Amino acid sequence: DVPPGTFSDDGSLLLALLESLLERDGRFDADDFGGRLVAWRRDGRLAVDGRVFDVGIQTEDAIRRIASGTPAAGAGPAGDRENGNGALMRTLPVAFAVRGDDARLIETAHRQSRVTHGHPRSEACCALYALWARRTLEGAIDPWREAVSGLRRHYAPDPVRTRELEEHVRPDDPTPGRGTGYVVDALRSARWCVLEGDFGRV
């Protein structure tokens, strides 16, 4: 058992991503990040009390591949049914640590996703979340809407990414999330919590 409120794998891997980005002045290094994931899983690094007590199926699979020598940049499973929320849950440091234009922010969000979750849907959710956080930090009047507009512009030349965004993420659909482990549902749940304004109540 662990005390209530103890962060699990998502919190540890968020810290690992933040640490990696900060040590490289906002530049993403997949192999460095992958090594930190392996150290977390194997040694409990950045885990509460050094104890790993939870890990997602896709994340576990990707870490096993990295530990066996697969380059981290392409270790993440990429099947259509492999769209868990693991990469999304750790994405926030991208908004804080990555400098430069939105294109760099989006690409960094994609690349960090691919280490454990390689499907374009996961990448799109991570990129939208990072843009949403950036627009919030910038004081935008409607951060979500502005983030969606920015991602649409970026994806315009890419029909595959555009299809994922419009047909699967569906950012204009206000339906609340249900708190499942599916990446799109997790993003919707996060948006709903922010709109409600009282996390404890929702």
Side-chain angles (χ1 to χ4, degrees):
D1 290 339
V2 295
T6 301
F7 64 79
S8 63
D9 56 333
D10 297 319
S12 295
L13 301 189
L14 181 150
L15 292 173
L17 178 60
L18 177 61
E19 188 179 65
S20 182
L21 288 170
L22 290 178
E23 289 185 9
R24 280 151 186 76
D25 196 30
R27 287 174 281 111
F28 181 70
D29 182 325
D31 289 326
D32 176 78
F33 180 52
R36 293 171 195 268
L37 301 190
V38 172
W40 164 76
R41 187 68 182 98
R42 183 188 59 210
D43 306 324
R45 187 172 184 280
L46 296 175
V48 176
D49 295 329
R51 196 168 139 241
V52 175
F53 60 88
D54 186 30
V55 58
I57 294 171
Q58 285 177 248
T59 299
E60 178 85 273
D61 188 17
I63 291 174
R64 190 181 301 113
R65 293 182 189 182
I66 295 167
S68 298
T70 298
D80 190 62
R81 297 182 65 84
E82 294 170 312
N83 274 299
N85 65 14
L88 175 68
M89 300 292 278
R90 64 172 184 255
T91 301
L92 188 59
V94 173
F96 293 114
V98 176
R99 300 182 185 90
D101 61 14
D102 286 348
R104 184 179 179 196
L105 185 84
I106 291 166
E107 183 55 29
T108 303
H110 288 170
R111 291 178 64 208
Q112 72 83 28
S113 177
R114 285 195 289 267
V115 174
T116 57
H117 296 71
H119 195 279
R121 194 172 311 156
S122 178
E123 294 179 20
C125 287
C126 290
L128 180 53
Y129 187 81
L131 276 174
W132 180 32
R134 174 176 271 188
R135 295 293 178 266
T136 300
L137 291 169
E138 292 171 344
I141 294 174
D142 190 336
W144 178 268
R145 184 181 300 275
E146 292 190 26
V148 171
S149 295
L151 193 58
R152 280 178 169 144
R153 287 193 298 273
H154 186 81
Y155 281 177
D158 188 333
V160 173
R161 292 193 187 280
T162 296
R163 184 169 59 251
E164 286 295 333
L165 181 65
E166 303 299 346
E167 296 182 10
H168 294 282
V169 180
R170 301 190 311 279
D172 297 327
D173 182 349
T175 305
R178 296 168 295 160
T180 71
Y182 175 45
V183 66
V184 175
D185 188 56
L187 181 60
R188 288 174 180 270
S189 296
R191 184 187 182 200
W192 182 51
C193 287
V194 170
L195 290 173
E196 287 293 310
D198 184 346
F199 181 77
R201 186 169 62 81
V202 298

